[in-house]
Amino acid sequence: MALKEHDLTDSQWTALKSAWGGCAYCGASGTPLQKDCVLPISRGGRYALDNVVPSCRSCNTSKCNSEVTSWMRRKKLNERDFLVRQAEINRTLAAAPD
């Protein structure tokens, strides 16, 4: 992990949590959210605005280092809606001043 450049700022993390309004995967709200790398660090991902989503502990633990769409299919979660929403949120936040 130390070999990767992680550049997610605290303000970006706050904006991500606000934009998603809960767990990006299952929609759970009112629970502490963890930073989850959509592309796991073990597979080349990093903590960056376009690769992190807020996740409840249950989803984060379950996903572990799985590929996100395969994991979502196994969990019967709507991967298409997730990917479209992630792209929209990332586009909006990338255009916003930090």
Side-chain angles (χ1 to χ4, degrees):
M1 192 161 134
L3 300 176
K4 293 282 183 185
E5 180 183 333
H6 303 284
D7 60 3
L8 184 72
T9 67
D10 290 340
S11 62
Q12 287 172 328
W13 172 236
T14 299
L16 279 169
K17 290 188 293 184
S18 177
W20 282 98
C23 177
Y25 301 122
C26 73
S29 60
T31 184
L33 297 170
Q34 303 173 348
K35 294 174 188 161
D36 182 59
C37 289
V38 176
L39 177 64
I41 292 170
S42 64
R43 295 175 181 249
R46 62 190 183 97
Y47 287 102
L49 180 63
D50 64 350
N51 191 48
V52 171
V53 296
S55 175
C56 68
R57 183 173 185 250
S58 178
C59 285
N60 198 7
T61 302
S62 173
K63 181 178 162 282
C64 191
N65 69 341
S66 298
E67 192 276 325
V68 69
T69 55
S70 299
W71 172 77
M72 291 186 85
R73 283 183 212 128
R74 281 195 313 274
K75 298 294 281 184
K76 298 189 180 354
L77 297 169
N78 191 324
E79 65 188 278
R80 182 186 181 284
D81 286 353
F82 166 78
L83 293 171
V84 168
R85 187 154 183 225
Q86 182 196 23
E88 290 170 350
I89 288 171
N90 286 346
R91 186 172 39 254
T92 299
L93 295 181
D98 192 29

